[in-house]
Amino acid sequence: MKKDAKDSQDFTSAVTPVERIKFIIRKMGITQGEFARRVGLDPTNMSKHMNGKLPITEGLLNKIVVNLGVSKRWLKDGSDVPFGKAGMANFTPERPSSALPVAVPIYDVDVVAGTEELSRMFTDDRIIGHISMPRLKRNDVIVKVSGDSMMPVITPGGYVAINPQNDNHNIFWGQIYVIVMDDYRLVKYLRKADSDDKVRLVSANPAYDDMIVDRSEIRGLYLVDAVINCELRC
């Protein structure tokens, strides 16, 4: 009975951003970990946000707004409704509108090869196909990753879906990024270093050492939203 009462809580009684996020999770009928994956956040970090060990940041709110169609005004201060009329019409706990599969373009681009500005490579003539999978985002692009530094997370020749917008400001530590520097591009986990003006680039493959680079050397950061490993068989 206590659980049922909690699940039927009206959204107006959620008085803090954390409580409003919990309301959305209950409304969607999913776990906190699944919610984190749908908004592109590490579940461990999501847990820290929810228990007060990490603050509810603008970056986190923006991810929820973009991926789930939630009102930012409501998330921040409760002054709006969680979803507009159009959003509520398409929203159900079993199948939120943000989870509907979309056709994401695959580009003939090896994201770790060459030094060309990445955003200039996403032209129509480079599209070699499309893929539709749950939780791929509408604005994502899919590119190839050569090399074995991210094995076993990304297999050699595997693909990643990335947000094509360069974002050097809102860093989600512990996530996989395409890192663009003057002389090369890398796919690595992005972690904090001992100094605020440096970052640690970490490979999944233990045969590779960590790299410490100055933040000023990074020209672009592209968040990896999904990893797509495939094995073709005759």
Side-chain angles (χ1 to χ4, degrees), residues 15-30:
V15 297
T16 68
V18 168
E19 289 173 344
R20 288 188 279 273
I21 293 172
K22 288 180 178 178
F23 171 85
I24 294 298
I25 294 173
R26 290 197 302 274
K27 187 71 173 175
M28 294 179 70
I30 59 176

Side-chain angles (χ1 to χ4, degrees), residues 5 12 37 52 75 80-82 97 102 108 110 120 134 173 176 179-180 186 196 206 222 224 232:
T12 57
R37 286 186 284 272
L75 280 173
D80 196 3
V81 295
S97 59
V102 295
D108 185 19
D110 186 339
R120 298 176 183 173
W173 300 108
I176 301 175
I179 300 104
V180 179
L186 304 164
D196 289 341
Y222 300 85
V224 172
L232 300 178

